[in-house]
Amino acid sequence: MKFMKLGSRPDTFFANESIRSISSEVSTDIKIQVQDSLYHLHKFPLLSKCGLLQTLCSKDSPHPPTTIYLSDIPGGADAFELCAKFCYSITITVSPLNFVPLRCAAEYLLMTNAVDRGNLAGKLESFFKSCILQRWKDTLLTLQSTRQFPPLCEDLKITSRCIDALAATVLAHPSKQWWIKDLAELSIDHYWRIMLAVKSAGVVSSKIVGEAIKVYASRWLPNMGDSLHEVNLKHQLLLEKIVILLPIEKGSVSCSFLLKLLKAANLLNASSTSKLDLARRAGVQLEEANVNDLLIASFTDGEEIIYDVDVVITIVEEFMLQGRSPPTSPLRKKTSSGERRRSRSAENVDFEGQENGRRSSSASHSSMLRVAKLIDLYLLEIARNEKLPVEKVIALAKAVPDFARMDHDNLYRVIDTYLKAHPQLEKKERKKLCKIIDCKKLSMEACVHAAQNEMLPLRVVVQVLFFEQARVAMAGGHVTELPSNIKALLTKAAGFSEKGVTMNCTSALETNDSEWSSASGPKCQMTKVATLKMKLEEDDNDMELEQVMVRDGLMRSSSSRFRALFPIPSMPKRILSKIWTLNRSVSERN
């Protein structure tokens, strides 16, 4: 640390209780009150260098004061005493630790070169330029000291010159990160101005800038996992400024960090602009996130946390925008599955992004798959929340395109978990919820579980059984292909291709649920009729089931009805019976 010594005389100031004076053969003739200290001094050395005291003790004044009060002098009694000692030529030491209050006090007392050549203010300015601004640590200490007297330091340009000096030092070493922790100790106003200067120069990489902002946020933002009693408007403004400082380049900060900021923004009640900006930035890198990152609390209701599903939907939608055409093109219409599917080459094309270049490339097919799985696991986590509206589950599930889900097992687990947590859900709402799954994409274990799930609507159970029987027939050892008439029937009835019929059915649900793990593939042939009968009794008035009557294979009572296998008016009983008995005949031959 640099320092400067002024004056050559020894210190002769002494104290007697609250009175401060100087040893001298000459009697004191001026009293100056500064805070709790009363100084008995001499006019001659003080008035020769202090323009303010010259004015206050002017002979032209009709009533010269017996005591001068300087209650508002910057730096208080300590700074005034240093200025007084300078007037007496007593040796004083100036360093970055006391430079700011001493410089402000000298300005307040008008100790300038205009009053006396070689005055204190001029000497302090020389020390500031030649020593303090040339050293990183000294400049930091001085800048931090300016927080004591912000307006006066701005007027004297102490603050701005310190900021310029620090930014210039950072820019002189753009590939190094040694400065990050040092700057993290500054107030947000000073940090903001330095980082703006660094970013605008375009020399330091966005990765380094992002790391600096992450360190700063960790230093000053409250821990969102702790009590929020100390959270106030200061933290809210702090977060909003941090969001604006974030580099626009993708990958400059991690998705996890962006989502942490978003969690803080919700709890700090930050502006909607900041929240939306964070959601969009996180959406661009969503494939990096995990389920815990997405558990963004909206608010707490007692001990229960209400999660912000709407912001997650926004994040997913932003991620999906990367898989579309450039922003200047109209959005593609969602028609058939074939028209929605993008080619491999299209998925790897880099597009020029919107939002000031935030999207650097289109989302790859593999990242789409990761995000689809992430969202399903997120839904599974929040599905247990009793206050989660079914509409939000449906909206978030539909935010992921169909092609991104290789199977719907996790989605079925979401429905199962949600229905268990919401037993009072109306029948109409259960049907809406179940429409998000595609029975053709359920594994054999999922089909077994769904066929015996008493909470599912009958239509879903029947569809599951239908596709289960078709797949078991295809996978039953000796049967390698369905008869052409049945294949045509499936295509017409269910609207899926031969490829859909012959899809691989060996995948299993990844779950620790003992109820699921006990299920096995061969049980698909032996689904319990009792469960289906109960479903029929529950949904006996369902008009959707009035289209087709199924007999022989599962139910033999002519008075019982088993409907909704096909969305077409009627089907020959001979073909329907063959569908349901085909697998059984194969088993008998084996």
Side-chain angles (χ1 to χ4, degrees), residues 125-388:
E125 274 295 317
S126 298
F127 175 67
F128 180 59
K129 293 177 183 177
S130 61
C131 294
I132 291 180
L133 292 181
Q134 305 306 315
R135 297 171 61 87
W136 173 265
K137 290 290 186 180
D138 292 352
T139 307
L140 274 175
L141 288 172
T142 303
L143 180 59
Q144 289 174 312
S145 298
T146 61
R147 297 175 61 187
Q148 303 174 62
F149 321 105
L152 188 53
C153 287
E154 290 290 353
D155 292 342
L156 296 173
K157 299 188 183 302
I158 299 175
T159 304
S160 59
R161 285 183 287 175
C162 286
I163 288 172
D164 292 342
L166 293 172
T169 305
V170 172
L171 295 174
H173 308 278
S175 61
K176 299 179 182 181
Q177 304 183 32
W178 53 269
W179 50 271
I180 291 179
K181 289 186 178 180
D182 288 341
L183 293 189
E185 298 303 316
L186 296 175
S187 67
I188 183 58
D189 292 333
H190 295 158
Y191 185 82
W192 162 271
R193 292 165 66 177
I194 293 173
M195 293 306 295
L196 282 182
V198 171
K199 286 181 61 181
S200 62
V203 176
V204 181
S205 71
S206 60
K207 281 274 189 181
I208 295 179
V209 172
E211 179 62 22
I213 294 173
K214 180 180 178 180
V215 171
Y216 189 84
S218 301
R219 169 68 177 83
W220 293 103
L221 282 178
N223 188 342
M224 293 297 105
D226 296 337
S227 172
L228 297 180
H229 292 313
E230 298 182 359
V231 171
N232 50 38
L233 181 62
K234 178 186 72 175
H235 293 114
Q236 176 185 326
L237 298 176
L238 171 67
L239 183 136
E240 291 175 356
K241 287 197 171 185
I242 288 175
V243 173
I244 297 175
L245 283 177
L246 290 171
I248 62 175
E249 291 81 5
K250 178 180 178 180
S252 55
V253 292
S254 67
C255 184
S256 177
F257 174 64
L258 291 169
L259 293 172
K260 283 181 181 178
L261 290 180
L262 189 52
K263 291 178 182 181
N266 261 10
L267 295 178
L268 293 173
N269 196 28
S271 66
S272 56
T273 302
S274 296
K275 294 179 185 178
L276 183 59
D277 192 16
L278 286 170
R280 287 176 172 173
R281 290 175 186 268
V284 176
Q285 303 170 216
L286 183 56
E287 70 274 14
E288 304 171 9
N290 57 49
V291 174
N292 288 333
D293 292 334
L294 291 178
L295 295 177
I296 303 169
S298 178
F299 60 91
T300 57
D301 185 6
E303 296 182 355
E304 186 177 16
I305 298 177
I306 308 300
Y307 292 110
D308 193 341
V309 182
D310 292 331
V311 76
V312 177
I313 294 175
T314 301
I315 293 171
V316 175
E317 290 175 345
E318 184 69 18
F319 173 80
M320 294 304 166
L321 285 176
Q322 299 175 95
R324 299 179 181 175
S325 298
T328 53
S329 303
L331 298 178
R332 299 178 182 177
K333 295 181 179 179
K334 293 184 178 180
T335 53
S336 65
S337 59
E339 292 175 347
R340 287 199 304 267
R341 188 179 302 277
R342 302 172 66 248
S343 66
R344 288 182 180 271
S345 59
E347 290 165 353
N348 293 323
V349 173
D350 290 339
F351 294 124
E352 180 181 354
Q354 283 181 326
E355 308 292 341
N356 297 323
R358 277 198 298 235
R359 300 188 198 106
S360 60
S361 63
S362 62
S364 66
H365 183 66
S366 60
S367 63
M368 285 280 189
L369 297 180
R370 286 195 296 270
V371 167
K373 183 176 181 180
L374 170 67
I375 296 306
D376 289 350
L377 294 177
Y378 169 78
L379 284 170
L380 185 61
E381 183 68 26
I382 66 173
R384 302 179 182 88
N385 193 307
E386 295 181 358
K387 296 187 178 181
L388 176 64

Side-chain angles (χ1 to χ4, degrees), residues 77-87 90 92-93 98 102 120:
D78 291 338
F80 171 77
E81 189 164 319
L82 288 175
C83 292
K85 288 179 179 180
F86 174 81
C87 295
I90 294 174
I92 63 173
T93 301
N98 64 2
L102 186 57
L120 179 59

Side-chain angles (χ1 to χ4, degrees), residues 376 379 397 405 408-416 436-437:
D376 289 350
L379 284 170
R405 290 187 174 99
H408 278 206
D409 284 11
N410 281 335
L411 208 53
Y412 169 69
R413 293 175 65 196
V414 170
I415 294 175
D416 182 54
I436 66 176
I437 61 170

